[in-house]
Amino acid sequence: MAVREPDAIALLKQDHREVEDLFEQYEKAKADGRKSKIAEQICSALIAHTMIEEEIFYPAVRGKIEEDTVDEAYVEHDGAKMLIQELMNGSPEDDFYDAKMTVLSEEIKHHVHEEEARSEGMFAQARQAGVDVAELGQQMRQRKQELLAQFKAGGLPQPKTTTFGQMSASAGGVAVPAE
Ligand SMILES: [Fe+2]
């Protein structure tokens, strides 16, 4: 008998619990060194998570669930990526660093709710629409392993926004006023 692997929804929920736990650890941490280690784990987990959702899960549910739900999820990710980039390029001794982390955790909490909410949430809609979450789970698990190995070998990539035209979280995308 085949071992039952977590489906796409179970996998994404695991990611959500993992990152919630990391935010809690950050809140309790006192030393800057410890904070910076946890911040790196948070950024890595969120970058991998947003990538597997945007590469695999969102395209698979697009057209099968409410359009607004999918569109808003992309924009929420992009908002989070701006803060992730700030955190990656800063350090816990910087002014506003802890505040940025707190605001990021609040944004993620909202986003997780939108995905996990009973009956109206993205995951519930996907199940109702009969999306093949078992097959997607397999693809996403593979991609996640690949990404985490890449991050380990080559460092964390700067997150790229998908929907923002004026401001981009990719390197060099933010306009700096001329002197
Ligand atoms: Fe997400």
Side-chain angles (χ1 to χ4, degrees):
M1 201 171 69
V3 181
R4 224 172 138 235
E5 308 267 13
D7 66 25
I9 293 171
L11 188 84
L12 293 171
K13 282 185 173 175
Q14 272 171 17
D15 281 358
H16 290 164
R17 300 294 86 80
E18 182 196 337
V19 86
E20 281 165 4
D21 182 59
L22 287 167
F23 279 127
E24 239 172 78
Q25 286 183 38
Y26 185 91
E27 221 181 300
K28 286 188 197 138
K30 301 235 164 24
D32 284 343
R34 169 103 182 109
K35 282 186 180 181
S36 116
K37 217 176 177 127
I38 303 166
E40 201 187 314
Q41 287 176 291
I42 290 173
C43 292
S44 164
L46 287 176
I47 292 173
H49 180 77
T50 53
M51 285 177 79
I52 60 171
E53 279 194 324
E54 291 186 24
E55 287 178 10
I56 302 166
F57 193 73
Y58 294 172
V61 298
R62 171 76 85 195
K64 299 192 173 112
I65 68 170
E66 271 176 41
E67 206 179 341
D68 289 353
T69 306
V70 187
D71 286 351
E72 285 165 26
Y74 277 104
V75 177
E76 285 170 6
H77 273 188
D78 282 352
K81 287 175 205 166
M82 306 300 297
L83 285 169
I84 292 167
Q85 191 184 46
E86 283 288 310
L87 293 167
M88 278 172 68
N89 299 334
S91 73
E93 59 263 29
D94 297 346
D95 288 345
F96 298 111
Y97 197 86
D98 286 348
K100 286 169 187 169
M101 186 61 85
T102 304
V103 173
L104 176 64
S105 84
E106 285 161 359
E107 284 188 10
I108 297 296
K109 208 176 279 171
H110 168 85
H111 178 71
V112 164
H113 176 77
E114 297 279 300
E115 291 190 339
E116 293 191 15
R118 276 169 203 265
S119 79
E120 292 299 309
M122 177 185 274
F123 297 165
Q125 289 187 48
R127 273 201 204 284
Q128 281 157 20
V131 171
D132 187 350
V133 288
E135 160 65 22
L136 287 177
Q138 210 161 355
Q139 281 180 43
M140 286 161 60
R141 202 166 35 249
Q142 257 176 29
R143 181 64 178 139
K144 189 180 164 184
Q145 275 167 8
E146 198 179 281
L147 286 171
L148 293 179
Q150 271 174 27
F151 296 174
K152 214 171 167 187
L156 264 186
Q158 297 284 332
K160 286 195 175 62
T161 58
T162 310
T163 66
F164 290 177
Q166 301 307 313
M167 260 184 137
S168 165
S170 57
V174 180
V176 178
E179 294 273 312

